[in-house]
Amino acid sequence: MKKIFKTYIWVVVAALGVFCGSCNDWLEVKPQSQAESDDLFTSEKGFEDALIACYIKMTNANLYGQNMTMTFIEYLAQHWDFTSGNGRDAALLKNFEYDGTNAETTIRAIYGAYYNTITQANVVLENLQTSGEVIQDENLRNVIEAEALSVRAFCHTDVLRLFGQLPNNPTVTVSLPYSKQVSTDMVPYYTYDEFVQLILQDIEAAQALFKESDPVMDYTFNKLDQGLEVEDPADVSTTFMLYRRFRFNYWAVEALKARLYLYIGDETNARTAANSVINAKTTAGEPILTLSGTEGFVNKCYACPSECLLALSNLDLEDRTRSLFHYNGHFLTPDHFDELFAGQSEDNNNRMAYVWEKEANNQGNTFRDFRKYDQPEDITGYSTSYQLVPLLRLSEMYLIAMETATDITEANALYKTYMEARGVIAGDLTEAELTTEVQNEYRRELFGEGQMFFFYKRQGARQMLWKSDREVVEQDYIVPLPSTELSYN
């Protein structure tokens, strides 16, 4: 019998405290009472709800609901134009002025939201050790544990990328706290290399569990999205094991591994992981997913849901972005739009034609309105194609594979496949042209998803598109820890 799509109707019965104090205050957050905690973890449903709370925390505006996808992190990448007076705080961040009151407040909120989410994952992991036997289905237990490990690894990865030192040739070093338990003890700080190894340990542990139990090993993301009509109910024993692209899964963690390896400069392992995702097939030999094409954009799937390895369902997305992207908010001027898509044509580039809409304000000034997070007016109920924020996409794996390819022939083959999905019939590039084009495509493809600043940071770039007043220096790339944390470094 076809499963009913209930995954998005998330009821969180665990309340894990509030944002306050230093990092170690956030890491000490406990359930409101031991009785509540004991009651929560006495059933499979309780564990499921506690895990889903991690994802709800990730949709917070201080994380991937806004600051770490659309606004704060994009200002650091020099993205977005504003009407006069509407972008004062953004302008300060574009100049990497982190010591202002508004900047400090935002940074503190982001930092706290990360560690609050990590704490939630640790609560799940610790209770699995003490009460996990209540989960009778071994596959379900493995997946819950693997997802909690993945949440912890993912959040720590972005803590490293945002607050950490340059990954290559740093002159400034930064130690960061890696939280692996809920405790009132001081959370230890680790060097850059130690921190990376802790992330990789969590990734490897998660993948070992996923490999044994994740339905994505046997079914495509599309089949799992559709509720999956299976002949043997034991194959997917619960609706909680469906809709895998909306929670961490084996291939999302492989993509995270590719992203992390590239960031730390390990191109060999980055290439292996990225190609593993690109070429991934089910046990029956079906590709797990493919790049989105023009049809997806025509259907108003501007965030490319069909190629998401991991996306967050955010039912507040439309309300949150309605006033964010327009001529009184965030947009691109005609000149900046032309620079973004230099050498491209709206006649055949589906992103130009669909993601950036040409509009005019009341004074007749034209601008480009960003539509990636627009929602169709006729959405009814819940859907696997809308109201989502991409976190890991197949297109990024293609860009990583291009950048780390062993030769230009391999890189060009990937590039042509990738561009064809974007409506462009591309020719061969030289190595120098490819290097430039990969950077351009990171900006075009992942605009509004929070990845371009980290691209610049891992390369230690001195120049950023749309920052012409000065060179970017090392300290610009290191977002300072909240003042409450400075004593720990």
Side-chain angles (χ1 to χ4, degrees):
M1 183 175 74
K2 189 171 183 179
K3 308 288 187 180
I4 300 173
F5 184 29
K6 295 181 179 178
T7 302
Y8 288 19
I9 307 175
W10 291 344
V11 179
V12 183
V13 296
L16 288 192
V18 296
F19 168 85
C20 60
S22 72
C23 166
N24 285 284
D25 291 324
W26 296 319
L27 298 177
E28 291 165 12
V29 173
K30 296 290 185 72
Q32 290 182 355
S33 72
Q34 188 61 45
E36 288 178 2
S37 177
D38 291 344
D39 183 63
L40 177 64
F41 295 106
T42 57
S43 68
E44 289 183 359
K45 181 64 164 57
F47 274 98
E48 292 171 359
D49 288 341
L51 177 64
I52 292 301
C54 294
Y55 297 101
I56 292 178
K57 287 176 181 291
M58 291 173 73
T59 67
N60 186 285
N62 290 317
L63 293 182
Y64 306 106
Q66 186 167 314
N67 276 333
M68 290 303 296
T69 49
M70 309 170 201
T71 53
F72 174 87
I73 194 65
E74 292 291 76
Y75 303 153
L76 302 186
Q78 310 304 304
H79 290 176
W80 300 124
D81 293 315
F82 306 90
T83 52
S84 177
N86 283 347
R88 287 190 295 268
D89 295 333
L92 294 175
L93 288 170
K94 284 186 173 188
N95 200 39
F96 311 109
E97 295 182 26
Y98 299 122
D99 55 355
T101 300
N102 288 332
E104 287 185 346
T105 299
T106 301
I107 291 167
R108 180 177 168 80
I110 291 170
Y111 189 78
Y114 271 124
Y115 281 102
N116 201 279
T117 304
I118 291 166
T119 295
Q120 178 78 35
N122 286 337
V123 167
V124 175
L125 291 167
E126 289 189 7
N127 279 278
L128 279 170
Q129 299 306 310
T130 59
S131 306
E133 68 278 359
V134 302
I135 305 175
Q136 299 298 310
D137 184 333
E138 182 179 0
N139 287 331
L140 177 61
R141 187 190 188 286
N142 285 346
V143 165
I144 289 175
E145 182 175 358
E147 288 190 41
L149 286 166
S150 302
V151 168
R152 189 166 77 184
F154 188 88
C155 289
H156 277 116
T157 296
D158 275 0
V159 167
L160 177 75
R161 295 198 298 170
L162 187 64
F163 298 100
Q165 64 200 50
L166 289 183
N168 298 300
N169 303 313
T171 64
V172 178
T173 59
V174 180
S175 296
L176 295 168
Y178 201 98
S179 173
K180 299 188 73 169
Q181 59 185 12
V182 181
S183 173
T184 56
D185 296 333
M186 179 70 66
V187 176
Y189 278 62
Y190 296 90
T191 66
Y192 174 85
D193 289 338
E194 292 170 338
F195 200 91
V196 168
Q197 288 306 308
L198 288 168
I199 297 173
L200 290 172
Q201 287 172 18
D202 278 347
I203 286 175
E204 295 299 331
Q207 283 198 299
L209 293 163
F210 277 137
K211 195 167 187 178
E212 294 296 320
S213 302
D214 195 338
V216 297
M217 309 309 292
D218 297 315
Y219 301 100
T220 66
F221 281 108
N222 186 50
K223 285 184 177 179
L224 292 166
D225 281 354
Q226 293 173 358
L228 183 60
E229 201 168 324
V230 294
E231 295 180 4
D232 181 2
D235 287 349
V236 181
S237 57
T238 168
T239 55
F240 195 78
M241 297 282 271
L242 298 174
Y243 317 104
R244 298 297 296 141
R245 79 169 82 242
F246 298 97
R247 301 202 313 275
F248 277 99
N249 58 78
Y250 180 87
W251 295 114
V253 177
E254 186 75 357
L256 173 61
K257 189 161 62 175
R259 178 186 283 178
L260 177 61
Y261 274 131
L262 183 64
Y263 184 76
I264 66 176
D266 186 343
E267 292 193 355
T268 299
N269 278 318
R271 175 179 177 270
T272 298
N275 279 303
S276 177
V277 176
I278 290 169
N279 299 316
K281 293 180 173 59
T282 67
T283 51
E286 296 178 271
I288 59 162
L289 78 173
T290 57
L291 289 167
S292 297
T294 300
E295 182 180 358
F297 293 106
V298 170
N299 291 330
K300 302 182 180 180
C301 299
Y302 306 125
C304 299
S306 64
E307 69 174 51
C308 286
L309 294 142
L310 176 67
L312 294 175
S313 173
N314 189 340
L315 304 186
D316 296 327
L317 188 61
E318 184 175 10
D319 290 340
R320 188 172 291 167
T321 59
R322 183 182 292 114
S323 61
L324 198 60
F325 304 122
H326 61 83
Y327 67 87
N328 279 327
H330 301 65
F331 58 87
L332 284 186
T333 64
D335 286 346
H336 281 174
F337 177 78
D338 290 343
E339 290 176 324
L340 179 65
F341 286 101
Q344 305 288 308
S345 167
E346 282 189 70
D347 293 336
N348 56 21
N349 189 310
N350 47 37
R351 292 165 302 182
M352 293 182 71
Y354 292 97
V355 178
W356 295 91
E357 185 173 23
K358 187 175 183 179
E359 295 193 20
N361 61 17
N362 295 333
Q363 289 73 45
N365 299 316
T366 61
F367 65 97
R368 290 287 177 161
D369 185 15
F370 189 62
R371 303 181 66 195
K372 181 172 286 187
Y373 298 109
D374 279 9
Q375 307 301 317
E377 294 181 359
D378 57 350
I379 289 180
T380 57
Y382 299 99
S383 171
T384 59
S385 297
Y386 305 105
Q387 301 176 114
L388 59 87
V389 176
L391 295 189
L392 289 160
R393 287 205 281 134
L394 184 60
S395 55
E396 184 183 353
M397 298 302 104
Y398 270 85
L399 293 172
I400 292 173
M402 287 179 225
E403 186 174 344
T404 59
T406 55
D407 58 59
I408 191 62
T409 301
E410 176 187 342
N412 272 316
L414 291 160
Y415 175 66
K416 290 176 184 177
T417 300
Y418 166 83
M419 291 304 291
E420 183 178 359
R422 298 302 175 250
V424 179
I425 304 302
D428 288 336
L429 302 177
T430 66
E431 289 187 8
E433 288 170 338
L434 182 72
T435 297
T436 299
E437 190 64 7
V438 166
Q439 176 171 290
N440 290 339
E441 280 301 317
Y442 257 93
R443 189 180 296 110
R444 294 167 184 155
E445 183 69 23
L446 302 174
F447 205 108
E449 295 181 37
Q451 298 305 315
M452 196 62 205
F453 176 72
F454 299 130
F455 179 97
Y456 287 131
K457 184 171 181 176
R458 67 177 169 83
Q459 296 203 340
R462 295 296 186 91
Q463 304 293 330
M464 292 183 177
L465 183 65
W466 304 327
K467 184 162 186 62
S468 58
D469 58 327
R470 67 173 177 86
E471 283 192 340
V472 183
V473 299
E474 181 175 9
Q475 200 63 49
D476 294 332
Y477 286 114
I478 305 173
V479 175
L481 296 173
S483 57
T484 51
E485 299 304 304
L486 297 180
S487 60
Y488 298 115
N489 268 287

